[in-house]
Each structure stands twice: as C-alpha cells, then as structure tokens.
Amino acid sequence: MDVLKAAIVGLALISANTPVHADVIADWNNTAMDVMKAVNVAGNPWTRSMALVNVSMSDAVNSVQSRYSRYMLELPSDPNASAEAAAAAAAREILMRQYPGQKERIDAAFAETMKTIPDNPARVAGIDLGEKVAGAIFAERQSDATNTPDTYRPHATPGVWVPTTPPLFPQYATAKPWGMDSASQFRPAPPPALSSAVYARDYNETKEMGGVKSTKRTDAQSDAVRFWTQANLGPAWFQAARQASARHGLSVAESARVFALMSMGLANCFIVDWDAKFQYNFWRPITAIRNGDQDGNDATERNAGWQPLNITPMHPEYPSQAGINAGAAQGVLEAVFGNGTEDFVATDTSDARLSRKFTSFAQMAQEHEEVRIWGGIHFRNSLEVGDAMGRKVADHLVANYIKPAR
C-alpha cells in the first residue's frame, strides 16, 4: 500500500517553470486553465471545457496536416493554412464562447502566439480555419445535456432531515460522452455487499488511515492528502502531458492528439462515473463509519465521532472519481509514451513553490488513489473499480479516435 516507499514524493520548493520546451498546444492548455481558474471553474465543467479546447485544436491541426483522423469528419480543410495558427484560433474561439468575460486574457495569449507565426496568407487562412472548426465542435456539444436543469431529488422519508446542499452536477449522470454510445457503457457491477469481507476490509482501512485523528497515517501521507486537492488533481495530468510531449519532441499534430485524447477521457470520466454514482448511491465513509453498527457486518465497529481528514465531496462514493480519472489519464499517456520511466513534476496551481516529483505515470496515478483513502473519503474497492473503468475509457478512445491517417 505504501506508495511512498517506491515514489519520489514529498513537498518540494521548486519553480513551476520546468525546463521543457512549450508548443502552441501546451501553451493554450495553460491559457485555458488560467482562464477557468480566474472564474472559479472546476470539476465536471472544467473537464468539459478542456475537452472542447483540445478536440478543437486537434481537429484544426488535422484539417491542415491530415496526420490523424478528426473527431468530426465533416469539417473544412486547408492544407495551405498554418496549423499553429489554426490551433490557436480554435482554442481562442472556444474560450471566448464560454468565458467572454476573460476576453482581455484570451486576446493577450492569442497575441503572444501570433508573434511566433509569420504574418502571411497561411496565418490568415489558419485563423479562419481554426475559428470554423471550433464553431462546429462547440455547436455539436451543445446537445450533450451537461447544462440541463438540476432536478436531483433527495431520497428521504417525510419528516426526516437530509443534507440540504445539493450534489455536484447530478445532470452529468445522463450527459452525452465524447465518442461513446452512452454514459452507462462502462457501468460497473454494484459495490460490495455491506456484509462482505471486502467491505469490512475497506471500511477498517479507511477508518484507521483516513480519520482526522489517525495515528497510522504518516506525516508524508498527510502532506500528500493536502497537496492533492480538486484544484490539482486534473491540472497535474496536463502538466505531465506537457512535460512528456516536450521531452519526446512531439510535433504539433502529435501533441494535439495527446491532449485531445486525454481531455476527452477525463471529460468522459465525469459522465460515466456520475452515471454509476447515482445508480448505486453508495454511502461515504463518514456516514458508514458513524453507522457501523447498522451494516450487518460484525467486522465493522462503529465510531460515532469519526471524521475524515478531507472534506467529504457532495456526490456518492462508488466508484471513485480520483480512481477513474487516474486510470483514464494513465491509460492514454501510456498508450502514447509507454509505461517506462517518465520524469515529471506536478506543481500546485495556487502556490508554485509546492510540487511533487514522479518517475512514471503509474506512480502518480497510484498516489492519486491512495490519498483518497488517507483522506478518509473513499474505500479501496471503489478506487480499484474506478481505475478499471478509466482504463476502458482510455482504451476505447485510443482505439477509435484521432488515429494515424498515414
């Protein structure tokens, strides 16, 4: 269990500006994240926006170069256009349509990109092409049902109190995924029975390791929990992809493919996972452990005052979002770069002095999952099931989308 023995982890006071070359794809991923940070977008909508940006850039680049298949087949093409200008224009168009209040920031980033591209007819054509591609992608996703009204109904007995804070984005449970038949395509089997040995194992592990007053969790593990907030979990995978893409010297089309596949995978995770979460409505550790005397399992002893180290998220426990995200991102990145050594740094999005170092995608994925136990908000089986779901999402996308054209 102790990933710390195998990983080079811990908080390190280093700069966020890692010594790697940036390209237009990575730069606009950073711009997209900066824009959403400025307007406090996170979680489900964050992954949707990243997918819109990256799929638009990938389709724009391949509308020029035709290196890989496009997500939308019926799009304009122009082999004489600048692929870099097309990518930048596509990203700008998507961000402006979603976050018009950030126009100044977006326009400044676009001006910086244009400084690196010769001012000629190819640039003009690329800008026009990128805007058209982004417009088509944006229009296609307007029917994805992610913005339908929230009609979640709490399960309650008349007269009995239930928490009054609604769950986060319940409509994503029935939203349209990217490149998949339905949200339920990879729905897992139900969680373990409360009377099972697996449930008792997971219950006691989280109870011992994840409580705010745990004596078994190490200081290093607590540091890891505190680092991996929601604000860092998603961006870390984009940081890893940026550093790996630069290190391997990927072309603009190759880089666009990596980011598009990974962002589609992560966006899908927030849909297929929500489908399963609201199908099973499994309780979180704080509820389970405070009611351990009511689960019918003699191996689970109640702790009436137990509290997790982390704040419990406002959505059901099973399967784990951290698990499915880790499985999907790792699956895509390993499909492109392999599963060997891959040195990279994940940097805190709010404090660039705080970072964690890794030597493989698998290593970071494992830590993403372990911290949810150490933080007291998940059970191990939920993480394992989520990871397997994420791998299926990644395998499906890599096999069917943005495939080499020649």
mmCIF file of all heavy atoms in Angstrom, residues 14-56:
data_model
loop_
_atom_site.group_PDB
_atom_site.id
_atom_site.type_symbol
_atom_site.label_atom_id
_atom_site.label_comp_id
_atom_site.label_asym_id
_atom_site.label_seq_id
_atom_site.Cartn_x
_atom_site.Cartn_y
_atom_site.Cartn_z
ATOM 1 N N ILE A 14 10.234 24.116 -5.452
ATOM 2 C CA ILE A 14 10.888 24.336 -6.736
ATOM 3 C C ILE A 14 9.970 25.168 -7.614
ATOM 4 O O ILE A 14 8.788 25.299 -7.363
ATOM 5 C CB ILE A 14 11.251 23.015 -7.447
ATOM 6 C CG1 ILE A 14 9.972 22.267 -7.852
ATOM 7 C CG2 ILE A 14 12.103 22.143 -6.575
ATOM 8 C CD1 ILE A 14 10.242 21.043 -8.670
ATOM 9 N N SER A 15 10.498 25.683 -8.673
ATOM 10 C CA SER A 15 9.704 26.524 -9.557
ATOM 11 C C SER A 15 8.768 25.711 -10.411
ATOM 12 O O SER A 15 9.047 24.589 -10.778
ATOM 13 C CB SER A 15 10.645 27.325 -10.473
ATOM 14 O OG SER A 15 9.902 27.998 -11.463
ATOM 15 N N ALA A 16 7.641 26.331 -10.763
ATOM 16 C CA ALA A 16 6.691 25.686 -11.677
ATOM 17 C C ALA A 16 7.207 25.700 -13.102
ATOM 18 O O ALA A 16 6.735 24.954 -13.947
ATOM 19 C CB ALA A 16 5.344 26.408 -11.624
ATOM 20 N N ASN A 17 8.186 26.555 -13.378
ATOM 21 C CA ASN A 17 8.689 26.697 -14.739
ATOM 22 C C ASN A 17 9.723 25.622 -15.036
ATOM 23 O O ASN A 17 10.927 25.854 -15.020
ATOM 24 C CB ASN A 17 9.293 28.089 -14.931
ATOM 25 C CG ASN A 17 8.259 29.171 -14.729
ATOM 26 O OD1 ASN A 17 7.133 29.040 -15.201
ATOM 27 N ND2 ASN A 17 8.635 30.237 -14.022
ATOM 28 N N THR A 18 9.238 24.406 -15.303
ATOM 29 C CA THR A 18 10.135 23.294 -15.574
ATOM 30 C C THR A 18 10.855 23.521 -16.896
ATOM 31 O O THR A 18 10.294 24.076 -17.842
ATOM 32 C CB THR A 18 9.337 21.983 -15.638
ATOM 33 O OG1 THR A 18 8.235 22.166 -16.524
ATOM 34 C CG2 THR A 18 8.824 21.615 -14.266
ATOM 35 N N PRO A 19 12.135 23.074 -16.988
ATOM 36 C CA PRO A 19 12.944 23.380 -18.161
ATOM 37 C C PRO A 19 12.591 22.510 -19.359
ATOM 38 O O PRO A 19 13.344 21.653 -19.779
ATOM 39 C CB PRO A 19 14.371 23.093 -17.669
ATOM 40 C CG PRO A 19 14.196 22.017 -16.652
ATOM 41 C CD PRO A 19 12.891 22.337 -15.967
ATOM 42 N N VAL A 20 11.395 22.710 -19.920
ATOM 43 C CA VAL A 20 10.995 21.970 -21.105
ATOM 44 C C VAL A 20 10.454 22.956 -22.126
ATOM 45 O O VAL A 20 9.946 24.017 -21.798
ATOM 46 C CB VAL A 20 9.916 20.913 -20.779
ATOM 47 C CG1 VAL A 20 10.490 19.824 -19.889
ATOM 48 C CG2 VAL A 20 8.710 21.540 -20.095
ATOM 49 N N HIS A 21 10.539 22.579 -23.403
ATOM 50 C CA HIS A 21 10.069 23.439 -24.482
ATOM 51 C C HIS A 21 8.549 23.387 -24.563
ATOM 52 O O HIS A 21 7.944 22.343 -24.405
ATOM 53 C CB HIS A 21 10.671 22.982 -25.805
ATOM 54 C CG HIS A 21 10.159 23.744 -26.980
ATOM 55 N ND1 HIS A 21 10.486 25.058 -27.219
ATOM 56 C CD2 HIS A 21 9.310 23.380 -27.980
ATOM 57 C CE1 HIS A 21 9.888 25.472 -28.325
ATOM 58 N NE2 HIS A 21 9.166 24.475 -28.805
ATOM 59 N N ALA A 22 7.941 24.514 -24.808
ATOM 60 C CA ALA A 22 6.487 24.575 -24.933
ATOM 61 C C ALA A 22 6.100 24.661 -26.405
ATOM 62 O O ALA A 22 6.857 25.135 -27.239
ATOM 63 C CB ALA A 22 5.956 25.779 -24.175
ATOM 64 N N ASP A 23 4.896 24.189 -26.751
ATOM 65 C CA ASP A 23 4.386 24.378 -28.095
ATOM 66 C C ASP A 23 3.014 25.023 -28.006
ATOM 67 O O ASP A 23 2.488 25.262 -26.921
ATOM 68 C CB ASP A 23 4.357 23.069 -28.879
ATOM 69 C CG ASP A 23 3.403 22.053 -28.284
ATOM 70 O OD1 ASP A 23 2.542 22.410 -27.455
ATOM 71 O OD2 ASP A 23 3.517 20.888 -28.668
ATOM 72 N N VAL A 24 2.416 25.305 -29.145
ATOM 73 C CA VAL A 24 1.154 26.022 -29.153
ATOM 74 C C VAL A 24 0.056 25.246 -28.440
ATOM 75 O O VAL A 24 -0.809 25.829 -27.777
ATOM 76 C CB VAL A 24 0.749 26.359 -30.614
ATOM 77 C CG1 VAL A 24 0.476 25.098 -31.414
ATOM 78 C CG2 VAL A 24 -0.451 27.296 -30.639
ATOM 79 N N ILE A 25 0.086 23.926 -28.522
ATOM 80 C CA ILE A 25 -0.946 23.108 -27.873
ATOM 81 C C ILE A 25 -0.823 23.219 -26.358
ATOM 82 O O ILE A 25 -1.808 23.500 -25.655
ATOM 83 C CB ILE A 25 -0.829 21.639 -28.307
ATOM 84 C CG1 ILE A 25 -0.879 21.499 -29.840
ATOM 85 C CG2 ILE A 25 -1.930 20.810 -27.640
ATOM 86 C CD1 ILE A 25 -2.143 22.031 -30.482
ATOM 87 N N ALA A 26 0.371 23.010 -25.848
ATOM 88 C CA ALA A 26 0.586 23.098 -24.404
ATOM 89 C C ALA A 26 0.326 24.501 -23.893
ATOM 90 O O ALA A 26 -0.246 24.696 -22.811
ATOM 91 C CB ALA A 26 2.007 22.655 -24.054
ATOM 92 N N ASP A 27 0.749 25.508 -24.662
ATOM 93 C CA ASP A 27 0.549 26.895 -24.234
ATOM 94 C C ASP A 27 -0.940 27.209 -24.083
ATOM 95 O O ASP A 27 -1.354 27.864 -23.117
ATOM 96 C CB ASP A 27 1.180 27.859 -25.235
ATOM 97 C CG ASP A 27 2.699 27.854 -25.173
ATOM 98 O OD1 ASP A 27 3.248 27.340 -24.174
ATOM 99 O OD2 ASP A 27 3.340 28.341 -26.121
ATOM 100 N N TRP A 28 -1.758 26.748 -25.029
ATOM 101 C CA TRP A 28 -3.182 27.050 -24.955
ATOM 102 C C TRP A 28 -3.898 26.194 -23.911
ATOM 103 O O TRP A 28 -4.945 26.599 -23.397
ATOM 104 C CB TRP A 28 -3.825 26.947 -26.332
ATOM 105 C CG TRP A 28 -3.626 28.249 -27.047
ATOM 106 C CD1 TRP A 28 -2.603 28.571 -27.909
ATOM 107 C CD2 TRP A 28 -4.401 29.441 -26.892
ATOM 108 N NE1 TRP A 28 -2.713 29.886 -28.300
ATOM 109 C CE2 TRP A 28 -3.815 30.441 -27.696
ATOM 110 C CE3 TRP A 28 -5.543 29.754 -26.163
ATOM 111 C CZ2 TRP A 28 -4.323 31.735 -27.782
ATOM 112 C CZ3 TRP A 28 -6.066 31.043 -26.241
ATOM 113 C CH2 TRP A 28 -5.462 32.019 -27.047
ATOM 114 N N ASN A 29 -3.334 25.075 -23.559
ATOM 115 C CA ASN A 29 -3.858 24.342 -22.406
ATOM 116 C C ASN A 29 -3.631 25.147 -21.135
ATOM 117 O O ASN A 29 -4.512 25.248 -20.277
ATOM 118 C CB ASN A 29 -3.196 22.969 -22.302
ATOM 119 C CG ASN A 29 -3.954 21.901 -23.062
ATOM 120 O OD1 ASN A 29 -4.878 21.292 -22.546
ATOM 121 N ND2 ASN A 29 -3.581 21.698 -24.318
ATOM 122 N N ASN A 30 -2.452 25.732 -21.020
ATOM 123 C CA ASN A 30 -2.179 26.582 -19.854
ATOM 124 C C ASN A 30 -3.107 27.796 -19.827
ATOM 125 O O ASN A 30 -3.607 28.186 -18.764
ATOM 126 C CB ASN A 30 -0.721 27.045 -19.871
ATOM 127 C CG ASN A 30 0.219 25.973 -19.369
ATOM 128 O OD1 ASN A 30 -0.207 24.921 -18.916
ATOM 129 N ND2 ASN A 30 1.512 26.240 -19.462
ATOM 130 N N THR A 31 -3.327 28.394 -20.995
ATOM 131 C CA THR A 31 -4.229 29.542 -21.058
ATOM 132 C C THR A 31 -5.638 29.144 -20.634
ATOM 133 O O THR A 31 -6.307 29.866 -19.877
ATOM 134 C CB THR A 31 -4.256 30.132 -22.478
ATOM 135 O OG1 THR A 31 -2.951 30.639 -22.799
ATOM 136 C CG2 THR A 31 -5.271 31.256 -22.583
ATOM 137 N N ALA A 32 -6.105 28.003 -21.118
ATOM 138 C CA ALA A 32 -7.444 27.535 -20.753
ATOM 139 C C ALA A 32 -7.558 27.341 -19.247
ATOM 140 O O ALA A 32 -8.558 27.731 -18.625
ATOM 141 C CB ALA A 32 -7.761 26.228 -21.481
ATOM 142 N N MET A 33 -6.528 26.759 -18.643
ATOM 143 C CA MET A 33 -6.572 26.550 -17.195
ATOM 144 C C MET A 33 -6.516 27.873 -16.444
ATOM 145 O O MET A 33 -7.190 28.039 -15.424
ATOM 146 C CB MET A 33 -5.429 25.617 -16.778
ATOM 147 C CG MET A 33 -5.650 24.169 -17.215
ATOM 148 S SD MET A 33 -4.473 22.974 -16.545
ATOM 149 C CE MET A 33 -3.081 23.225 -17.647
ATOM 150 N N ASP A 34 -5.739 28.823 -16.946
ATOM 151 C CA ASP A 34 -5.683 30.138 -16.306
ATOM 152 C C ASP A 34 -7.040 30.845 -16.379
ATOM 153 O O ASP A 34 -7.477 31.482 -15.416
ATOM 154 C CB ASP A 34 -4.618 31.008 -16.979
ATOM 155 C CG ASP A 34 -3.201 30.571 -16.648
ATOM 156 O OD1 ASP A 34 -3.025 29.814 -15.670
ATOM 157 O OD2 ASP A 34 -2.277 30.986 -17.374
ATOM 158 N N VAL A 35 -7.675 30.747 -17.524
ATOM 159 C CA VAL A 35 -8.987 31.370 -17.702
ATOM 160 C C VAL A 35 -10.000 30.788 -16.727
ATOM 161 O O VAL A 35 -10.754 31.509 -16.059
ATOM 162 C CB VAL A 35 -9.469 31.197 -19.162
ATOM 163 C CG1 VAL A 35 -10.963 31.498 -19.279
ATOM 164 C CG2 VAL A 35 -8.674 32.099 -20.095
ATOM 165 N N MET A 36 -10.017 29.455 -16.614
ATOM 166 C CA MET A 36 -11.003 28.831 -15.731
ATOM 167 C C MET A 36 -10.680 29.047 -14.260
ATOM 168 O O MET A 36 -11.582 29.139 -13.429
ATOM 169 C CB MET A 36 -11.124 27.346 -16.069
ATOM 170 C CG MET A 36 -11.875 27.113 -17.366
ATOM 171 S SD MET A 36 -12.258 25.380 -17.668
ATOM 172 C CE MET A 36 -10.667 24.782 -18.223
ATOM 173 N N LYS A 37 -9.409 29.155 -13.945
ATOM 174 C CA LYS A 37 -9.043 29.481 -12.563
ATOM 175 C C LYS A 37 -9.552 30.871 -12.203
ATOM 176 O O LYS A 37 -10.039 31.104 -11.089
ATOM 177 C CB LYS A 37 -7.527 29.410 -12.394
ATOM 178 C CG LYS A 37 -7.048 29.700 -10.976
ATOM 179 C CD LYS A 37 -5.542 29.575 -10.867
ATOM 180 C CE LYS A 37 -5.053 29.887 -9.465
ATOM 181 N NZ LYS A 37 -3.570 29.795 -9.357
ATOM 182 N N ALA A 38 -9.478 31.790 -13.145
ATOM 183 C CA ALA A 38 -9.903 33.168 -12.888
ATOM 184 C C ALA A 38 -11.398 33.266 -12.618
ATOM 185 O O ALA A 38 -11.851 34.177 -11.914
ATOM 186 C CB ALA A 38 -9.525 34.062 -14.065
ATOM 187 N N VAL A 39 -12.170 32.335 -13.167
ATOM 188 C CA VAL A 39 -13.630 32.392 -12.979
ATOM 189 C C VAL A 39 -14.133 31.238 -12.117
ATOM 190 O O VAL A 39 -15.324 30.951 -12.073
ATOM 191 C CB VAL A 39 -14.367 32.415 -14.334
ATOM 192 C CG1 VAL A 39 -14.099 33.724 -15.054
ATOM 193 C CG2 VAL A 39 -13.970 31.240 -15.215
ATOM 194 N N ASN A 40 -13.189 30.563 -11.432
ATOM 195 C CA ASN A 40 -13.532 29.522 -10.454
ATOM 196 C C ASN A 40 -14.319 28.357 -11.052
ATOM 197 O O ASN A 40 -15.299 27.885 -10.471
ATOM 198 C CB ASN A 40 -14.317 30.121 -9.277
ATOM 199 C CG ASN A 40 -13.507 31.125 -8.487
ATOM 200 O OD1 ASN A 40 -12.338 30.888 -8.198
ATOM 201 N ND2 ASN A 40 -14.113 32.258 -8.162
ATOM 202 N N VAL A 41 -13.897 27.886 -12.220
ATOM 203 C CA VAL A 41 -14.497 26.701 -12.827
ATOM 204 C C VAL A 41 -13.663 25.491 -12.445
ATOM 205 O O VAL A 41 -12.435 25.513 -12.554
ATOM 206 C CB VAL A 41 -14.562 26.829 -14.363
ATOM 207 C CG1 VAL A 41 -15.062 25.544 -14.996
ATOM 208 C CG2 VAL A 41 -15.470 27.992 -14.741
ATOM 209 N N ALA A 42 -14.314 24.429 -11.980
ATOM 210 C CA ALA A 42 -13.595 23.223 -11.559
ATOM 211 C C ALA A 42 -14.464 22.002 -11.827
ATOM 212 O O ALA A 42 -15.617 22.107 -12.253
ATOM 213 C CB ALA A 42 -13.236 23.304 -10.075
ATOM 214 N N GLY A 43 -13.882 20.830 -11.574
ATOM 215 C CA GLY A 43 -14.647 19.589 -11.632
ATOM 216 C C GLY A 43 -15.219 19.275 -13.000
ATOM 217 O O GLY A 43 -14.552 19.395 -14.029
ATOM 218 N N ASN A 44 -16.495 18.921 -13.034
ATOM 219 C CA ASN A 44 -17.132 18.454 -14.263
ATOM 220 C C ASN A 44 -17.052 19.473 -15.399
ATOM 221 O O ASN A 44 -16.609 19.125 -16.507
ATOM 222 C CB ASN A 44 -18.598 18.097 -13.985
ATOM 223 C CG ASN A 44 -18.773 17.179 -12.801
ATOM 224 O OD1 ASN A 44 -18.178 17.387 -11.751
ATOM 225 N ND2 ASN A 44 -19.610 16.154 -12.931
ATOM 226 N N PRO A 45 -17.474 20.744 -15.192
ATOM 227 C CA PRO A 45 -17.390 21.716 -16.289
ATOM 228 C C PRO A 45 -15.957 21.993 -16.728
ATOM 229 O O PRO A 45 -15.721 22.295 -17.901
ATOM 230 C CB PRO A 45 -18.047 22.975 -15.693
ATOM 231 C CG PRO A 45 -18.892 22.483 -14.576
ATOM 232 C CD PRO A 45 -18.136 21.318 -14.008
ATOM 233 N N TRP A 46 -15.013 21.890 -15.814
ATOM 234 C CA TRP A 46 -13.600 22.104 -16.147
ATOM 235 C C TRP A 46 -13.145 21.086 -17.187
ATOM 236 O O TRP A 46 -12.518 21.435 -18.188
ATOM 237 C CB TRP A 46 -12.762 22.000 -14.882
ATOM 238 C CG TRP A 46 -11.318 22.383 -14.998
ATOM 239 C CD1 TRP A 46 -10.768 23.605 -14.756
ATOM 240 C CD2 TRP A 46 -10.218 21.528 -15.370
ATOM 241 N NE1 TRP A 46 -9.398 23.564 -14.951
ATOM 242 C CE2 TRP A 46 -9.032 22.306 -15.334
ATOM 243 C CE3 TRP A 46 -10.123 20.188 -15.727
ATOM 244 C CZ2 TRP A 46 -7.783 21.786 -15.631
ATOM 245 C CZ3 TRP A 46 -8.872 19.654 -16.044
ATOM 246 C CH2 TRP A 46 -7.709 20.454 -15.998
ATOM 247 N N THR A 47 -13.468 19.808 -16.954
ATOM 248 C CA THR A 47 -13.040 18.782 -17.905
ATOM 249 C C THR A 47 -13.757 18.936 -19.239
ATOM 250 O O THR A 47 -13.179 18.675 -20.297
ATOM 251 C CB THR A 47 -13.287 17.371 -17.348
ATOM 252 O OG1 THR A 47 -14.680 17.186 -17.069
ATOM 253 C CG2 THR A 47 -12.476 17.127 -16.089
ATOM 254 N N ARG A 48 -15.009 19.366 -19.210
ATOM 255 C CA ARG A 48 -15.741 19.581 -20.471
ATOM 256 C C ARG A 48 -15.065 20.682 -21.280
ATOM 257 O O ARG A 48 -14.874 20.543 -22.501
ATOM 258 C CB ARG A 48 -17.193 19.956 -20.171
ATOM 259 C CG ARG A 48 -18.040 20.221 -21.417
ATOM 260 C CD ARG A 48 -19.478 20.573 -21.036
ATOM 261 N NE ARG A 48 -20.322 20.727 -22.215
ATOM 262 C CZ ARG A 48 -20.536 21.865 -22.851
ATOM 263 N NH1 ARG A 48 -19.927 22.974 -22.409
ATOM 264 N NH2 ARG A 48 -21.332 21.916 -23.903
ATOM 265 N N SER A 49 -14.702 21.771 -20.633
ATOM 266 C CA SER A 49 -14.047 22.872 -21.343
ATOM 267 C C SER A 49 -12.695 22.451 -21.906
ATOM 268 O O SER A 49 -12.338 22.820 -23.031
ATOM 269 C CB SER A 49 -13.874 24.078 -20.406
ATOM 270 O OG SER A 49 -15.107 24.683 -20.122
ATOM 271 N N MET A 50 -11.930 21.687 -21.130
ATOM 272 C CA MET A 50 -10.625 21.233 -21.622
ATOM 273 C C MET A 50 -10.787 20.326 -22.831
ATOM 274 O O MET A 50 -9.983 20.371 -23.767
ATOM 275 C CB MET A 50 -9.866 20.523 -20.501
ATOM 276 C CG MET A 50 -9.447 21.434 -19.350
ATOM 277 S SD MET A 50 -8.385 22.824 -19.833
ATOM 278 C CE MET A 50 -6.838 21.971 -20.190
ATOM 279 N N ALA A 51 -11.826 19.507 -22.830
ATOM 280 C CA ALA A 51 -12.068 18.654 -23.992
ATOM 281 C C ALA A 51 -12.464 19.486 -25.204
ATOM 282 O O ALA A 51 -11.998 19.240 -26.328
ATOM 283 C CB ALA A 51 -13.148 17.621 -23.671
ATOM 284 N N LEU A 52 -13.328 20.477 -25.007
ATOM 285 C CA LEU A 52 -13.707 21.353 -26.116
ATOM 286 C C LEU A 52 -12.490 22.036 -26.728
ATOM 287 O O LEU A 52 -12.343 22.092 -27.958
ATOM 288 C CB LEU A 52 -14.704 22.408 -25.618
ATOM 289 C CG LEU A 52 -16.169 21.989 -25.495
ATOM 290 C CD1 LEU A 52 -16.947 23.012 -24.674
ATOM 291 C CD2 LEU A 52 -16.797 21.824 -26.873
ATOM 292 N N VAL A 53 -11.620 22.560 -25.879
ATOM 293 C CA VAL A 53 -10.419 23.243 -26.363
ATOM 294 C C VAL A 53 -9.517 22.277 -27.129
ATOM 295 O O VAL A 53 -9.071 22.565 -28.245
ATOM 296 C CB VAL A 53 -9.650 23.891 -25.192
ATOM 297 C CG1 VAL A 53 -8.247 24.317 -25.635
ATOM 298 C CG2 VAL A 53 -10.415 25.087 -24.645
ATOM 299 N N ASN A 54 -9.247 21.124 -26.546
ATOM 300 C CA ASN A 54 -8.260 20.219 -27.135
ATOM 301 C C ASN A 54 -8.765 19.467 -28.349
ATOM 302 O O ASN A 54 -8.010 19.231 -29.302
ATOM 303 C CB ASN A 54 -7.752 19.263 -26.067
ATOM 304 C CG ASN A 54 -6.732 19.909 -25.168
ATOM 305 O OD1 ASN A 54 -5.662 20.291 -25.622
ATOM 306 N ND2 ASN A 54 -7.058 20.070 -23.888
ATOM 307 N N VAL A 55 -10.019 19.067 -28.352
ATOM 308 C CA VAL A 55 -10.570 18.424 -29.545
ATOM 309 C C VAL A 55 -10.620 19.430 -30.689
ATOM 310 O O VAL A 55 -10.312 19.098 -31.840
ATOM 311 C CB VAL A 55 -11.961 17.831 -29.258
ATOM 312 C CG1 VAL A 55 -12.623 17.332 -30.547
ATOM 313 C CG2 VAL A 55 -11.859 16.686 -28.261
ATOM 314 N N SER A 56 -10.972 20.673 -30.394
ATOM 315 C CA SER A 56 -10.988 21.707 -31.429
ATOM 316 C C SER A 56 -9.591 21.948 -31.992
ATOM 317 O O SER A 56 -9.416 22.081 -33.213
ATOM 318 C CB SER A 56 -11.560 23.012 -30.860
ATOM 319 O OG SER A 56 -12.920 22.858 -30.504
#
